[in-house]
Amino acid sequence: MSEAAIPQEEARWAFIFTLQQAGVREKAVLDALEATPRDRFVDGLFRARALEDIALPISCGQTISQPSVVGLMTQALEVTNRCKVLEIGAGSGYQAGVLSHLARRVYTIERHRPLARQARAALADLGASNVTVISGDGTAGLPEQAPFDRIIVTAAAEDVPAFLLDQLRDGGIMVIPVGQSDTVQQMIKVVKTPEGLEYTELGDVRFVPLLEGIAEDLPDG
Ligand code: SAH
C-alpha cells in the first residue's frame, strides 16, 4: 500500500463512521454510499472536501446534499432491487448514483440543463446504467413512467404535491423535504397504504427550493 493511500483509507472509515453516527444503520445503504465516490460529483476545487459531511456548492448556484442526509433519506425510502424510483432534483447526480446500487431503475429530473448534462456524464463514467437523467421540470413528475415504487424529492416543496402522490404505486414510499421557508423544513416520509396516506416526520433539514419551470441557463452553464 502506498503512503498516500493511508489517509484516504482513514477518510473513508471516518466517512462511514459519521454516517453511522447520524443514524444510517442499514448495511445496504452504507454499502451504496461507500460504492458511490462523491468526489466525482463535485467540481475540482471541492473534491478534497468530498468526504466531509457537509453540503457543497455545484454549478448553477445549487448544492450537493450532505452525505448523512442522503443516507437518511435513502434509508427512509426502503429501496429494494425490484423498485422503480423517481427523483426530483438530480443536481450533481450523487443521490441518484447512491440509489443506482439499490434500485432496479432510477429516473431523475433536473431543471438546470447544465447540471443534468454533468450528472448524466458523471453517472455514465461510473457505469450507473440503470439511471436516466431527464432535463426538465419535475413539478409534473414523470407521468409516462408512472407509477413509481419510490419517489424522492431533493428540493423543498411548500407541501407534498398531490400529483406526485398520484404517481406513487399503492404501498409505495415518498420522502420529501417540506417547508414554507428556506430555513425551517421537515423531512417527511409518506407511505401510501390501502387505508390512506401515513406521514412520518424525520427531522429538520435545509434544501434549496423546488421551483417550477425549466431554468434559463447560459449555453455553457
Ligand atoms: N440530489 C442532488 C441535490 C439536489 S439540490 C444531489 O445529489 O446532488 C436540488 C436540485 O433540485 C437543484 O439542482 C435544483 O435545480 C433542482 N430542482 C429544483 N426544482 C426543480 C424542479 N421543479 N424540477 C427539477 N429539478 C428541480
Side-chain angles (χ1 to χ4, degrees):
M1 188 187 289
S2 76
E3 274 178 40
I6 295 166
Q8 186 57 26
E9 183 69 5
E10 275 174 14
R12 241 165 32 86
W13 276 108
F15 178 74
I16 295 300
F17 182 71
T18 305
L19 294 169
Q20 286 172 326
Q21 292 294 103
V24 186
R25 302 275 150 73
E26 287 291 330
K27 175 145 186 353
V29 174
L30 289 166
D31 287 350
L33 281 148
E34 195 168 7
T36 311
R38 190 169 181 247
D39 58 335
R40 304 281 283 273
F41 295 90
V42 294
D43 295 333
L45 254 182
F46 296 103
R47 279 209 182 120
R49 307 196 64 181
L51 289 179
E52 291 180 36
D53 191 27
I54 49 173
L56 291 170
I58 53 175
S59 309
C60 306
Q62 306 302 311
T63 53
I64 176 172
S65 310
Q66 207 178 330
S68 58
V69 172
V70 172
L72 290 170
M73 288 177 83
T74 306
Q75 183 165 271
L77 211 55
E78 298 177 30
V79 182
T80 72
N81 60 12
R82 290 205 298 270
C83 286
K84 179 161 77 166
V85 184
L86 174 66
E87 180 190 24
I88 315 288
S92 65
Y94 177 62
Q95 170 75 74
V98 172
L99 289 169
S100 76
H101 293 283
L102 300 163
R104 174 170 60 83
R105 200 78 184 74
V106 180
Y107 293 88
T108 182
I109 311 180
E110 173 53 54
R111 67 188 288 276
H112 284 281
R113 244 182 268 279
L115 276 178
R117 243 190 333 261
Q118 287 164 28
R120 203 175 285 129
L123 289 161
D125 262 8
L126 293 172
S129 56
N130 60 344
V131 182
T132 303
V133 182
I134 295 153
S135 184
D137 178 8
T139 54
L142 196 59
E144 61 270 35
Q145 290 296 340
F148 295 94
D149 303 291
R150 303 288 185 263
I151 299 179
I152 177 170
V153 183
T154 60
E158 290 192 359
D159 216 333
V160 180
F163 61 85
L164 280 186
L165 287 171
D166 289 345
Q167 292 179 26
L168 190 62
R169 194 189 294 282
D170 289 338
I173 300 175
M174 181 184 324
V175 175
I176 176 170
V178 172
Q180 301 287 337
S181 82
D182 62 353
T183 49
V184 188
Q185 300 161 2
Q186 261 298 317
M187 186 58 70
I188 309 273
K189 175 176 181 173
V190 188
V191 184
K192 200 177 199 177
T193 75
E195 292 76 41
L197 299 169
E198 269 175 19
Y199 292 84
T200 316
E201 292 191 351
L202 301 178
D204 292 345
V205 284
R206 188 159 180 196
F207 276 82
V208 298
L210 185 71
L211 299 173
E212 277 188 34
I214 295 183
E216 296 294 330
D217 296 298
L218 298 170
D220 294 317

